[in-house]
Amino acid sequence: TATAVFWVQGMLRQMDFLGNAGPETAAMSSPPVTHIAVRDTYSFYAHQAGIHRTMAGINKLWVGGGAGDMLVAKDTIYWFWGGMVYHVSAIGPTSGGTATLASAQTAPVFLAASSDAIYWAGANAAIKKATLPAYTVSDVITGEPGISAFAADATSLYWATGDGVKSVLWKLPLAGGSK
């Protein structure tokens, strides 16, 4: 957020930029926290038992079950678990329930968002896209083995590939074209 930084160190940790003394524990968890996503005044953290929301020291189970990488975009939480990509409202988990965005995905490992789509990369060397709000799923690019990092901004999709010896950073315009 604009006022704090969050990180995972076995638990969700937070440091405010507005004069607080130092790092504080935003949420403790057993099993350990594995992923975080931040939206406005609250944060979400995931571990193998579910996704929780924390705000002003109050922790609430948001969604049960496991969660891999996750992000918050347009008031919605997106995450993957067990080859499925899911979404649920970040405003209230009961306002629409958990829904499956895509099933039978080959080990999705990274998520990214632009203003009109959610993207994910998988172990099948492909990058997929689901347009918002209809969630129409399509391939963006295939044949990209070893994806090790992934991001999107307003104009482009970025990813890194590597073989353990060298890494290459790729860029693809969201409007289409070649890398």
Side-chain angles (χ1 to χ4, degrees):
T1 68
T3 61
V5 63
F6 294 85
W7 71 96
V8 173
Q9 190 177 26
M11 61 190 78
L12 180 61
R13 305 283 301 208
Q14 167 186 353
M15 185 176 354
D16 292 335
F17 297 130
L18 301 177
N20 288 348
E24 62 183 62
T25 300
M28 293 186 70
S29 170
S30 180
V33 172
T34 57
H35 296 85
I36 60 173
V38 178
R39 181 192 182 276
D40 299 334
T41 58
Y42 47 84
S43 59
F44 295 90
Y45 64 94
H47 52 66
Q48 66 187 28
I51 297 174
H52 295 255
R53 184 179 85 171
T54 181
M55 182 173 92
I58 299 171
N59 294 306
K60 178 179 181 178
L61 177 64
W62 210 249
V63 177
D69 194 11
M70 67 179 188
L71 64 84
V72 179
K74 294 192 175 191
D75 296 330
T76 302
I77 303 168
Y78 298 90
W79 75 98
F80 59 78
W81 186 254
M84 309 282 273
V85 181
Y86 298 99
H87 61 97
V88 69
S89 169
I91 306 302
T94 59
S95 63
T98 300
T100 302
L101 187 147
S103 59
Q105 299 301 298
T106 305
V109 289
F110 298 106
L111 288 168
S114 67
S115 62
D116 65 348
I118 301 298
Y119 300 86
W120 63 94
N124 63 346
I127 296 174
K128 302 235 180 214
K129 158 183 162 174
T131 55
L132 301 176
Y135 298 126
T136 304
V137 176
S138 60
D139 285 331
V140 174
I141 197 163
T142 59
E144 289 293 311
I147 296 172
S148 59
F150 193 62
D153 64 16
T155 61
S156 299
L157 188 62
Y158 306 87
W159 67 97
T161 58
D163 59 9
V165 176
K166 71 174 188 171
S167 295
V168 178
L169 181 61
W170 300 95
K171 175 182 176 182
L172 180 70
L174 295 178
S178 60
K179 62 179 184 175

